Amino acid sequence: MDNRTWVGPLDPRDFMQALMKVEEELPRAEVSKTCFGAVPLECNSETDICKRFMDAIICSKLLPEEFYLNVNDHPNEISLPLLSVHRGQESGSPWSSMEFGIMFRTACSADPFPSEDGCGSSPQPSTSKAEERTWKKLASCAAAQFDHQHRSFLFTILVCGHHARFLRWDRAGIIVTDQFDYKEDPQPLAEYLWRYGRISATNRGFDPTVRCSTSSDQEAFRHALQGRLESLKLIPGAERTLDDRFPCYTITVAGSAEEPRSYVVRRPISSPSSPTGRATRAYIALDIASQELVFLKDYWRPLESSHTPEAEVYRALEDVEVPHLPRIRMAGDVRGGHQVTSTNRWQRLEGIWDCGPIRGYRHHRIVQDLAYPLSAVRSSRQLAQALRNVVICIAIACRISWLHRDISSGNVMLGTDGEGLLNDWDHGFRLDPKNKIPSSRTGTWRYLSLALSQDAKKVHDVLDDLESCFWVLLYQSLHFFASTADVAEFNLFDYQSDRLVDSEIVGGAGKAKFLFGRGKSFHFTCKPLQDLIESLRRHFLASHVARCAAGETLPEHLEDPATPVLAIFDAALSRTDWPESDVLEEQSRVARHGSASVSGDHPTSGSLHHHSSQAPNSAPASLKVEEHSSRGSAKHRLDESDTDDSASTKSSRSKRLKSDATPPSSPLRTPSPTSRARTRSAKIEADERLLRRVTRSQTSLGRRIARSQRS
């Protein structure tokens, strides 16, 4: 997150009148009595300011009786502000009752926001260590409050010396007031407290579709989790779900036509590090009606017309029975107040800082059956079959004009029967001659096609998605199956050039070396896997060369690129010499690979290094780094829609080989060789029938799309 998401400065009174509306008339006599004169002008401790400040608030009696103040004395809760306002009964977790935080700094110079008015100027990044420290603390506290609670937005008060500001955070950015001297003019602060205590919970930022869970629902949730502990161990971060530092909530989800259903959640198994942006949170949830555990995805989708809501993408795919998708139970935009960001609507006002475009977001939820990561596979054949399923899903989706645009090891998953599924269609794009394909990159850096790695402006097509399947297969195979490869081979996935092109990251040299057979050679112990990867390597090398030579128009043999890829997979999977269970145990994988730390500036013939000339906190706006789980794997997502994370793109955590650790055993059903042979031909025939039944011509569509891009 950076200062381009700041909107301000607003006059404090304008801020309150617009964002904290109340029906009652302001009691000016009471407000005028409030005094913060006892707060020292100079002191050595933020705690000293906090205590005097708290005493003044208590003496003012402007907050209703159900509100109370709390000084953070939880040493393990470093993301709590020093002083916070709470409502309701005290509980074990300070987050369950927290309303808003107040942050203190002893000096006015620690304020990270510009002191001058907007007047079209661009706010400059924090330059001093004190300003940077304040900004990081503000962002971490806001991110933690969003993470622990279910909010559309939240308020914060920043106190630096004798100056104060009001902040309002939502997923688009921050609305910031001008600073004011609360000792000389305490009325804005007093009015804020009075107003806050009298606006509704929804207008204080709480999501009206979420409530605290009853004790019986909490017990049912715990019982359901304990009954599935073994299988849940396969899901990275699942152990977080029982973290009792997080309150239990019941979320009501409404689909397009279905009756709303309620789900119990606790701590998300993955959550964003920034308070702004898509803010995807993934939960293992209990369906109260069916008493089944499900997966609940909660995020904020971009409002641009070019982004189709994920729920609509799934409905379009399900209408024609596209195979190998997760089972969607409920999906749609969240209903209720404040489910659309408002910060983006304030950026064009006169006198506002010139922050550049701030995009708006809409709250969205998806509920689906639980699925498992690719790290749950027990054999190389099962991995190959999963990727084959994804190829057929991509092919049929493209026949009805849909592209996925983010094929990654995190989005290729396994159902309870071990079937490969293609998940997370939130970047799905409908191909239409009237709908121009965005030229900015979308996807996960590690698995981008070579063409997209080399050219950030290349138009994404189905061949890019198919090639990403190959890189997912290779990456997972290197992790989990015996080979002569060493740790250096993983650098080919993360390699970046030491230069930027049009402020965009470029790379792909490692992948190019591998495709052209110029890198260090290695072989897999499993002969069918080795032959499959080699056949796919040769195919995508030929496709890449043909595409580069063809320019904008794909040659005829690439107009239906999925068919030859499926033929390669089917030929490999028909072999009878696949091992029954050849996945390496975790201890063997670590012993084989050792440490995955990488250093150096430029790649050599045998070792390709992930490198960028940028400083750790200066990633371009197109690069988003998401933590997959507590195990430390970093997902490098290149997404034209997200500018919220500025973490380093070259963190060594992205190369940790233990990131996809697999437990010794898997509860996923693995069919016997006999049943595999019996069902395989039936599945292939069903897929071929579906391909024939989807009558829309991909070739004709591709030509129309190409014409629309050139016009």
Side-chain angles (χ1 to χ4, degrees), residues 601-620:
D601 291 336
H602 298 283
T604 61
S605 58
S607 177
L608 300 174
H609 299 282
H610 175 84
H611 175 70
S612 171
S613 60
Q614 293 173 285
N617 291 320
S618 60

Side-chain angles (χ1 to χ4, degrees), residues 419-430:
E419 174 194 9
L421 305 172
L422 184 52
N423 198 22
D424 285 344
W425 285 78
D426 53 315
H427 289 279
F429 185 84
R430 183 171 180 81

Side-chain angles (χ1 to χ4, degrees), residues 435-620:
N435 194 9
K436 185 175 178 61
I437 302 175
S439 60
S440 48
R441 246 177 341 197
T442 285
T444 303
W445 178 264
R446 181 172 287 163
Y447 310 107
L448 284 184
S449 69
L450 176 56
L452 283 174
S453 299
Q454 295 174 331
D455 182 5
K457 302 302 182 184
K458 178 195 175 298
V459 174
H460 198 118
D461 58 46
V462 66
L463 187 57
D464 295 308
D465 279 356
L466 293 171
E467 186 182 326
S468 291
C469 291
F470 168 64
W471 298 118
V472 170
L473 174 67
L474 179 61
Y475 185 87
Q476 295 298 110
S477 297
L478 286 170
H479 262 291
F480 298 115
F481 303 105
S483 74
T484 60
D486 58 31
V487 66
E489 310 308 331
F490 287 93
N491 298 323
L492 72 89
F493 299 95
D494 292 332
Y495 181 91
Q496 293 174 10
S497 173
D498 58 0
R499 64 189 179 90
L500 300 179
V501 177
D502 296 329
S503 301
E504 295 282 0
I505 292 174
V506 294
K511 292 175 181 175
K513 275 196 171 186
F514 182 82
L515 284 183
F516 282 87
R518 296 172 182 167
K520 180 181 176 182
S521 62
F522 58 87
H523 294 83
F524 290 94
T525 302
C526 173
K527 188 65 164 58
L529 178 63
Q530 171 64 30
D531 292 346
L532 171 62
I533 288 176
E534 177 61 16
S535 296
L536 289 171
R537 181 192 71 81
R538 291 176 180 273
H539 171 79
F540 285 111
L541 170 61
S543 297
H544 179 73
V545 171
R547 178 156 60 177
C548 290
E552 291 187 8
T553 305
L554 290 179
E556 186 176 347
H557 73 281
L558 292 181
E559 289 181 335
D560 185 16
T563 298
V565 177
L566 284 171
I568 294 172
F569 271 101
D570 289 340
L573 290 167
S574 66
R575 294 174 57 161
T576 59
D577 56 337
W578 288 90
E580 194 63 29
S581 179
D582 57 337
V583 68
L584 291 171
E585 300 297 340
E586 182 178 0
Q587 185 176 3
S588 301
R589 293 198 301 272
V590 174
R592 180 167 67 96
H593 293 301
S595 172
S597 60
V598 181
S599 62
D601 291 336
H602 298 283
T604 61
S605 58
S607 177
L608 300 174
H609 299 282
H610 175 84
H611 175 70
S612 171
S613 60
Q614 293 173 285
N617 291 320
S618 60

Side-chain angles (χ1 to χ4, degrees), residues 118-429:
C119 299
S121 63
S122 177
Q124 297 301 310
S126 303
T127 55
S128 72
K129 290 184 178 179
E131 290 175 341
E132 184 66 21
R133 174 173 166 260
T134 302
W135 170 241
K136 287 183 176 179
K137 180 67 173 180
L138 279 169
S140 66
C141 286
Q145 189 170 358
F146 274 127
D147 196 30
H148 286 78
Q149 299 178 338
H150 291 264
R151 284 180 166 271
S152 304
F153 62 90
L154 56 89
F155 292 101
T156 302
I157 296 178
L158 173 63
V159 177
C160 295
H162 55 93
H163 289 157
R165 292 185 193 265
F166 305 143
L167 313 178
R168 182 191 184 275
W169 308 70
D170 65 18
R171 298 305 188 176
I174 317 168
I175 300 174
V176 185
T177 70
D178 206 347
Q179 62 183 15
F180 61 94
D181 191 322
Y182 67 90
K183 290 175 68 66
E184 290 186 0
D185 182 14
Q187 289 203 23
L189 191 50
E191 182 177 342
Y192 173 98
L193 295 170
W194 180 84
R195 284 178 178 271
Y196 191 94
R198 285 153 184 84
I199 54 180
S200 67
T202 301
N203 289 332
R204 298 199 305 272
F206 290 96
D207 187 338
T209 68
V210 180
R211 58 178 172 82
C212 291
S213 299
T214 64
S215 57
S216 60
D217 285 343
Q218 292 183 47
E219 183 58 33
F221 183 42
R222 179 178 293 276
H223 183 267
L225 289 169
Q226 291 175 342
R228 294 280 301 274
L229 283 180
E230 284 305 309
S231 62
L232 292 178
K233 287 179 182 178
L234 293 171
I235 301 175
E239 69 279 358
R240 297 180 174 190
T241 304
L242 286 173
D243 189 340
D244 59 10
R245 293 174 300 174
F246 281 64
C248 258
Y249 293 102
T250 298
I251 301 177
T252 300
V253 181
S256 60
E258 309 91 342
E259 286 294 320
R261 295 176 74 94
S262 297
Y263 302 88
V264 181
V265 301
R266 197 159 206 165
R267 184 180 181 182
I269 61 176
S270 65
S271 54
S273 59
S274 170
T276 60
R278 288 175 180 262
T280 302
R281 293 191 288 183
Y283 295 91
I284 294 175
L286 175 69
D287 185 327
I288 293 178
S290 67
Q291 292 294 294
E292 296 175 282
L293 290 178
V294 296
F295 174 81
L296 192 153
K297 175 182 175 183
D298 180 289
Y299 72 103
W300 292 70
R301 64 174 181 84
L303 280 174
E304 287 92 338
S305 58
S306 61
H307 285 79
T308 306
E310 189 175 8
E312 293 184 17
V313 179
Y314 277 122
R315 280 192 283 273
L317 299 176
E318 289 171 349
D319 283 346
V320 294
E321 301 178 6
V322 174
H324 311 306
L325 296 171
R327 179 194 169 198
I328 305 300
R329 298 187 175 212
M330 301 285 286
D333 287 339
V334 181
R335 304 170 188 174
H338 301 291
Q339 304 297 350
V340 179
T341 57
S342 59
T343 301
N344 47 291
R345 300 199 296 267
W346 286 77
Q347 63 180 321
R348 295 181 181 87
L349 296 180
E350 184 178 352
I352 294 297
W353 293 317
D354 182 12
C355 300
I358 297 177
R359 74 184 328 177
Y361 293 90
R362 181 76 164 83
H363 202 178
H364 199 72
R365 290 192 181 118
I366 305 287
V367 180
Q368 62 189 65
D369 285 355
L370 286 178
Y372 300 90
L374 283 180
S375 57
V377 298
R378 302 308 302 157
S379 70
S380 50
R381 189 188 188 283
Q382 187 182 21
L383 176 64
Q385 179 66 58
L387 268 300
R388 189 265 179 197
N389 289 352
V390 171
V391 169
I392 196 70
C393 181
I394 291 170
I396 297 177
C398 189
R399 295 272 176 106
I400 61 163
S401 313
W402 284 99
L403 284 178
H404 185 278
R405 302 198 306 157
D406 187 17
I407 306 298
S408 69
S409 61
N411 292 340
V412 178
M413 306 193 77
L414 301 174
T416 54
D417 60 354
E419 174 194 9
L421 305 172
L422 184 52
N423 198 22
D424 285 344
W425 285 78
D426 53 315
H427 289 279
F429 185 84

